[in-house]
Amino acid sequence: MKCIRYICFVLAAGFALAACDKTDKAYKDFAPGGEITYPGKADSLKVNPGKQRAQLTWLLKTDSRIVKCRIYWNRRADSADVNVTRTTGVDTIRHTLGDMGEGPYVFEVYTFNAQGDRSIKAEANGDVYGSFYESNLVNRTLKSAVITGGNTKLDWDESDPRSPGVDLRYKDAAGQPQTRRVPATEKTTLITGAVQAGSVEFQTLYLPVPNAIDTFRAATAKVNL
């Protein structure tokens, strides 16, 4: 009985070794260089939109072997390489893509080591804004603009939540051009003295999202006093 058990054990071990050899051969056929090495993945990938451009940021945390990152977009029809010099800590990588068409995008980022091994994918969605978005922006409503007591008084309506303020332009009493930033929270603007030519111009500023890297402007509005 012991002899039979021993023979069965030897046969089972032989089959197991043969199976391992086949599996190992199949793996090596699939990965001729041996084990696949994946560099550390790009972490916390974010897209900061701009005017016909987009800034991508991500973190490189633990893998000191990373020497390059590659960004893909437009279903991998377009790409950009970013060379990397690692430090001993966490590195923040920023790269801005320019000449982008207006619209939504899906961005993919891979990291590479010196041997050309590629990480798994990091992915993020983002928008690029342009002339179409800007052409649909409207100015903050100026409820009244009057000269009172020798000074100019402007009363504003509520500001759009996306707007950080208004750029106001006029010529002062001496005829000198002046530019003034009116914060979104300001309801009344007082200009010392009467403006020359009896008119002011202004443009409302917009950030489409809080992390936008560019400020957009509504068309110039002119108001006669």
Side-chain angles (χ1 to χ4, degrees):
M1 180 64 72
K2 290 183 179 180
C3 182
I4 293 174
R5 288 179 179 175
Y6 177 76
I7 292 172
C8 290
F9 173 78
V10 171
L11 289 173
F15 284 127
L17 288 172
C20 288
D21 287 342
K22 289 180 180 179
T23 301
D24 188 55
K25 183 178 184 302
Y27 176 79
K28 288 180 179 179
D29 287 343
F30 179 73
E35 293 184 2
I36 299 175
T37 302
Y38 292 103
K41 176 184 176 182
D43 191 80
S44 304
L45 176 62
K46 296 179 181 178
V47 182
N48 302 316
K51 187 173 185 178
Q52 295 184 305
R53 61 180 186 157
Q55 181 193 66
L56 275 66
T57 67
W58 62 92
L59 302 179
L60 299 179
K61 290 187 173 180
T62 57
D63 195 339
S64 61
R65 301 167 301 168
I66 296 172
V67 297
K68 181 177 69 176
C69 300
R70 180 169 294 158
I71 306 168
Y72 287 104
W73 68 99
N74 283 340
R75 297 182 178 180
R76 299 196 180 184
D78 295 302
S79 65
D81 285 351
V82 182
N83 293 325
V84 172
T85 301
R86 290 302 317 272
T87 66
T88 56
V90 176
D91 294 316
T92 300
I93 309 299
R94 295 181 178 87
H95 187 77
T96 301
L97 302 171
D99 297 323
M100 304 283 287
E102 192 168 2
Y105 287 86
V106 178
F107 296 98
E108 301 175 6
V109 174
Y110 293 88
T111 68
F112 294 81
N113 59 24
Q115 289 71 44
D117 298 317
R118 188 178 75 173
S119 71
I120 60 175
K121 176 177 64 176
E123 184 177 290
N125 298 331
D127 294 307
V128 172
Y129 298 89
S131 57
F132 178 78
Y133 171 80
E134 198 163 44
S135 67
N136 286 281
L137 299 177
V138 296
N139 278 298
R140 184 179 183 182
T141 301
L142 183 60
K143 296 193 296 184
S144 66
V146 296
I147 297 176
T148 176
N151 297 319
T152 304
K153 180 183 177 184
L154 309 176
D155 288 322
W156 303 94
D157 205 346
E158 293 292 335
S159 181
D160 188 292
R162 299 168 296 166
S163 174
V166 170
D167 273 353
L168 180 66
R169 297 185 298 274
Y170 58 93
K171 288 185 178 180
D172 62 21
Q176 296 300 312
Q178 302 291 336
T179 299
R180 181 169 173 176
R181 177 66 55 85
V182 178
T185 55
E186 185 171 296
K187 298 293 185 66
T188 299
T189 301
L190 292 175
I191 301 173
T192 302
V195 297
Q196 196 179 74
S199 66
V200 295
E201 294 181 348
F202 63 93
Q203 286 181 288
T204 304
L205 311 177
Y206 283 87
L207 290 173
V209 291
N211 62 319
I213 59 174
D214 291 313
T215 302
F216 294 80
R217 296 171 176 269
T220 299
K222 183 176 181 179
V223 176
N224 295 319
L225 303 176

